[in-house]
Amino acid sequence: MNKDMTPETETEVEDSDFKPLTAQEAQEWRARHKTLSIWWIVMAQALVGVAAVLVAWLVSSKAQIAYSVAYGSLSVVIPSLVFARGLARGRGGSAGGAMVGLFGWELVKILLTVAMLAAAPRIVAGVSWLALLIGMVVTMKAYWVALLVRRSK
């Protein structure tokens, strides 16, 4: 701060606006802003994946396309399940430990997804990479559905 009590830096300006919440205010804020369960998001991804497979089957009438979309969806849902399980098992430790756990499980999720994609040609005969990619993208974006449903409540 300067001698006339004006902040010197932008950080000091931001810090001066900070007002800690009382215990009651924090409790009220938590009541208004419920957390979204990671399991609900994984379930939403699985449901969107199933819907994508059904649409692919109805539109293309080809089993290869439906299988490719299904495998793309599974390449998102299975790693998400592993990630959610890993985070749910996390021990209540330090903030640094929680951050390491988050990044560690995210790395596991990415590696599992890459491994599943590498195995796709051996698992899905005549894989359609475009359909697989569509299944992945649609399923990955299912969390937007979960957030929209949450927001409307």
Side-chain angles (χ1 to χ4, degrees):
M1 292 255 180
N2 291 329
K3 292 178 185 175
D4 62 344
M5 297 303 288
T6 59
E8 287 182 12
T9 65
E10 189 175 327
T11 305
E12 287 180 322
V13 171
E14 291 174 3
D15 289 344
S16 66
D17 292 339
F18 178 75
K19 176 189 166 267
L21 298 176
T22 65
Q24 182 180 1
E25 289 172 332
Q27 186 177 14
E28 290 170 1
W29 185 88
R30 282 188 212 103
R32 286 191 316 268
H33 300 90
K34 298 283 186 193
T35 58
L36 187 59
S37 168
I38 193 166
W39 297 109
W40 201 92
I41 293 173
V42 172
M43 183 177 59
Q45 285 182 325
L47 292 174
V48 168
V50 168
V53 170
L54 291 174
V55 168
W57 178 264
L58 291 172
V59 170
S60 72
S61 299
K62 294 182 182 177
Q64 306 306 89
I65 301 295
Y67 291 151
S68 295
V69 171
Y71 193 80
S73 294
L74 285 175
S75 296
V76 173
V77 172
I78 291 173
S80 292
L81 280 169
V82 172
F83 177 77
R85 178 70 175 128
L87 288 183
R89 285 184 40 196
R91 307 291 190 274
S94 68
M99 187 65 72
V100 168
L102 177 72
F103 284 119
W105 284 110
E106 185 65 28
L107 180 63
V108 168
K109 182 174 135 180
I110 291 168
L111 291 175
L112 183 55
T113 301
V114 169
M116 289 183 72
L117 291 176
R122 291 181 210 82
I123 294 174
V124 180
V127 65
S128 167
W129 286 101
L130 180 60
L132 186 142
L133 183 62
I134 289 170
M136 282 186 69
V137 169
V138 167
T139 304
M140 270 191 269
K141 297 304 174 186
Y143 67 85
W144 287 106
V145 174
L147 291 174
L148 289 174
V149 168
R150 177 180 177 240
R151 188 174 285 214
S152 68
K153 288 184 179 182

